[in-house]
Amino acid sequence: MADLDTIVSLSKRRGFLFPSSEIYGGLGAVYDYGPLGVELKRNVRERWWNAMVRDHDNVVGLDAAILMHPTVWKASGHVDAFSDPLIDDRASGRRYRADQLVEGAIEKLEKKGRTDNADALRERFVQALNSDDAASALGAIIQDEEIRSPDSGAFDWTDVRQFNLMFETATGALAEEASKLYLRPETAQGIFVHFKDVAETARQAVPFGIAQIGKAFRNEIVARQFIFRMREFEQMEMQYFVKPGDQMEAYAEWADKRMAWHVANGIRPEKLRWHEHEKLAHYADAAQDVQYEFPFGWNEIEGIHSRTDFDLSRHQEFSGKKLEYFDPQTQERYVPFVVETSVGLDRTILMVLADAYREEEVTNGDKTESRTVLKFHPALAPFTAAVFPLVKKDGMPEAAHKIEADLRKQFNVTYDEKGAVGRRYRRQDEIGTPFCITIDGDTISDGTVTVRDRDSMAQDTVPSENVRRYLEDQIEAWTLGE
């Protein structure tokens, strides 16, 4: 597996991601998507939407505003409880999440085979997370276990403190008349406050879901690891409303579907695992995460939560508006329970980049060469195909542009006529283009082209009028190789 620096370098060099405002020195934990990154992100987003909304007749979409009435966040608990336990290393000046330091200590004990010590520390860790003063309890563990700073190696910590993660802003023509607002830290609350609107206008009956993709903002003090943890990020969430008592069945069903979606995107199954929450959020009666093994370790990609009726009940209480559901079949009236699937789009992009990256030795005639290749699922790749004229004469560029125009009706493709064909192949390998189509003398004489597969590097001769159908079949049949 490539280290994170390699992924960051490739992302910038090839136009997947750039540091935001870089000509001014950048802005910490904020990144911009370049030409290839935009296409990759759009493809991931569309596959999620298709899997969640288009493939289910009882899931519909929503696009709620980023700014919401401030009482929304009081009702949801974010104003009072949306915080991280942070601790400072006095030697380096770096700040860390206290819970992650303890988790790291548990992992080190397990790797050393000291399972009894690891189990005892985990038990104490769970007790600390569930205590009335989690910050102090975590600080005591760090001191008792003499957990050192991962970067400086020092053992010189401040006290653990809780930091609220919400960004504040204001509205109003005059500063003295301004009303405090928050940039939303999650997209779910927009779904909850529109539960009845959507149910009535979309004519949905429980069980049904509401899906949304949108930006969220968190004032992450500890923001690093490239786009894994950012202050401005995008979430893909679905809230599934069920009758009270049916939540565990829906919870298990959606967990299976969500893990299968990641595997269907070409992610290696051995790099994915489930992680049960050590501490449940105040709104949940069950929670687990899909984790991926990044270059920096196992971390969350997606959360599956059974949120009970907490959200709708709280908004009903704070707004004074009824958010009950009336079941015409049973004549029952109740506040639905909610099962949530929430996946970070940016984290998914990082996972896709990390999982697709390969450095391989390949044979070219009697020579062995190395190549860097991104083995994206073809449906995710920024370009589905690259079209090459073998030479820039003899009618080949004109024939290549004709094929390019035909493919653009269905796929995103690129045209490249610069350099030797082998060098062009390497350029496309490095950005993950699944197919390269070469127009040569045979194209002019008999109308055939050569299609080269990125993963196997095998080449097929295909009639030019059948290229589009050929690509469709290859994408449909694609499976994850080594």
Side-chain angles (χ1 to χ4, degrees), residues 76-124:
S76 67
H78 284 82
V79 172
D80 298 321
F82 192 63
S83 57
D84 276 345
L86 302 182
I87 188 170
D88 294 346
D89 170 23
R90 291 190 179 96
S92 67
R94 300 194 73 165
R95 186 164 285 170
Y96 302 87
R97 273 181 50 179
D99 57 330
Q100 292 180 348
L101 290 174
V102 178
E103 287 177 336
I106 294 171
E107 289 182 7
K108 285 182 180 179
L109 290 172
E110 290 175 336
K111 287 180 180 178
K112 292 178 181 179
R114 298 168 58 185
T115 54
D116 290 344
N117 300 89
D119 290 343
L121 182 54
R122 181 179 289 105
E123 183 177 349
R124 187 179 175 189

Side-chain angles (χ1 to χ4, degrees), residues 33 37-45 234 345-346 349:
Y33 283 80
V38 165
E39 297 296 335
L40 177 61
K41 191 176 188 181
R42 179 182 61 83
N43 291 340
V44 172
R45 187 189 289 117
E234 201 159 349
L345 177 53
D346 306 279
I349 297 299

Side-chain angles (χ1 to χ4, degrees), residues 118 127 151 203 215 229 291 412 427 443:
Q127 291 174 351
D151 295 292
R203 301 177 66 195
K215 287 290 185 76
R229 190 178 300 280
Q291 290 188 337
N412 192 33
R427 283 200 292 265
T443 310

Side-chain angles (χ1 to χ4, degrees), residues 414-435:
T414 184
Y415 176 90
D416 190 356
E417 62 180 16
K418 296 179 181 178
V421 169
R423 189 168 296 173
R424 285 182 260 177
Y425 283 157
R426 294 292 177 262
R427 283 200 292 265
Q428 297 303 321
D429 288 344
E430 195 172 34
I431 64 174
T433 306
F435 308 103

